Amino acid sequence: MAPGLFIAFEGPEGGGKSLQVGLLAERLRSDGADVVATREPGGTKVGDEIRAVLLGLGDYAILPETEVLLLAAARAQHVREVITPALERGALVVCDRFVDSTFAYQGGGSGLDMSPLRTIQAFATGGLEPDIRFLLDLPVQVGLQRRHAEPASVNRIDLADNSFHQRVRDAYLNLVTAAPRQWVVIDADAAPDTVHETIWRELRRVRANPRYVVTE
Ligand code: TMP
């Protein structure tokens, strides 16, 4: 097993994941840690190209099956080019979204069957899983309002209807129920500093526990 630590941030829209990834990475670095902060889809040059196709507001439709395959392609590159080498040198990798986003959005939101999704994820990642998953959870209406308050950052998937986003949130909560020891659920409907302090405290607590690397 790689010596580093792989932390994934997950959640529905508007939970402030990107901000929290940045704050956590900065604090860990000022503590002297070797940190790689990255995101999905993206994190590599080809991944960023795929992100532009997936999330751009171009004049084309993308089927959920196509989304899964594009996301998996970006993920395969990301794991091998960025995440695994960083973990092998002992770095902390903080990733804004990973496989659970596919289970929540394309599985929960779009209703695709989970079984092929799992198979495709295993192929894309080579079996790599996060050591810790933070779910930044908040009510869908609150998250979408925050998101639409910054129109420049609205992407193609944000524009799906509210029931889609509700299914995404429900799917995340179901993933937590199915494997509670893999997750730390954070109330993201709070001020960013409060959310950051909670994440910091929880990360210290989890790392102090010799069983923090959970495989269920
Ligand atoms: P974000 O960077 O604002 O979180 O935007 C990424 C978008 O991509 C978000 O709407 C969720 C979506 N997404 C999926 O639908 N499935 C995935 O597997 C990933 C990584 C992202």
Side-chain angles (χ1 to χ4, degrees):
M1 186 181 293
L5 186 71
F6 182 18
I7 304 166
F9 277 70
E10 292 284 355
E13 307 298 335
K17 283 179 295 76
S18 314
L19 173 68
Q20 295 301 332
V21 165
L23 291 173
L24 180 62
E26 199 179 309
R27 190 154 172 189
L28 288 166
R29 280 189 194 114
S30 67
D31 256 15
D34 176 3
V35 181
V36 172
T38 187
R39 68 170 180 184
E40 290 209 345
T44 65
K45 278 195 176 172
V46 71
D48 284 336
E49 298 287 334
I50 293 171
R51 182 182 180 96
V53 171
L54 266 168
L55 300 181
L57 301 175
D59 182 21
Y60 50 81
I62 306 185
L63 294 167
E65 290 83 350
T66 310
E67 289 179 351
V68 169
L69 295 169
L70 287 171
L71 286 157
R75 188 162 290 142
Q77 189 75 24
H78 192 208
V79 165
R80 289 159 186 81
E81 191 178 314
V82 175
I83 301 177
T84 300
L87 293 174
E88 281 175 354
R89 70 165 195 263
L92 277 83
V93 175
V94 188
C95 191
D96 185 346
R97 299 194 179 282
F98 197 60
V99 290
D100 296 295
S101 284
T102 302
F103 297 137
Y105 280 79
Q106 283 66 42
S110 300
L112 294 185
D113 189 356
M114 288 288 186
S115 171
L117 291 192
R118 283 198 201 93
T119 306
I120 293 166
Q121 297 321 302
F123 178 69
T125 63
L128 179 72
E129 288 196 32
D131 297 306
I132 304 168
R133 297 157 165 91
F134 284 108
L135 175 62
L136 268 55
D137 183 50
L138 80 174
V140 166
Q141 284 303 339
V142 177
L144 288 178
Q145 266 165 23
R146 282 190 190 171
R147 202 62 206 229
H148 289 285
E150 294 170 45
S153 73
V154 170
N155 69 47
R156 194 180 54 82
I157 292 177
D158 294 331
L159 297 175
D161 61 25
N162 287 8
S163 61
F164 173 93
H165 290 287
Q166 187 61 54
R167 290 194 299 278
V168 169
R169 184 187 185 202
D170 293 344
Y172 273 122
L173 295 173
N174 287 338
L175 288 167
V176 175
T177 304
R181 291 168 57 229
Q182 294 183 344
W183 291 88
V184 179
V185 181
I186 304 283
D187 173 13
D189 187 10
D193 285 354
T194 309
V195 174
H196 170 66
E197 287 306 326
T198 310
I199 290 167
W200 185 252
R201 196 179 57 240
E202 287 295 318
L203 183 60
R204 286 169 66 109
R205 184 183 63 76
V206 172
R207 290 178 80 191
N209 176 350
R211 297 184 61 204
Y212 69 76
V213 178
V214 181
T215 350
E216 286 183 337

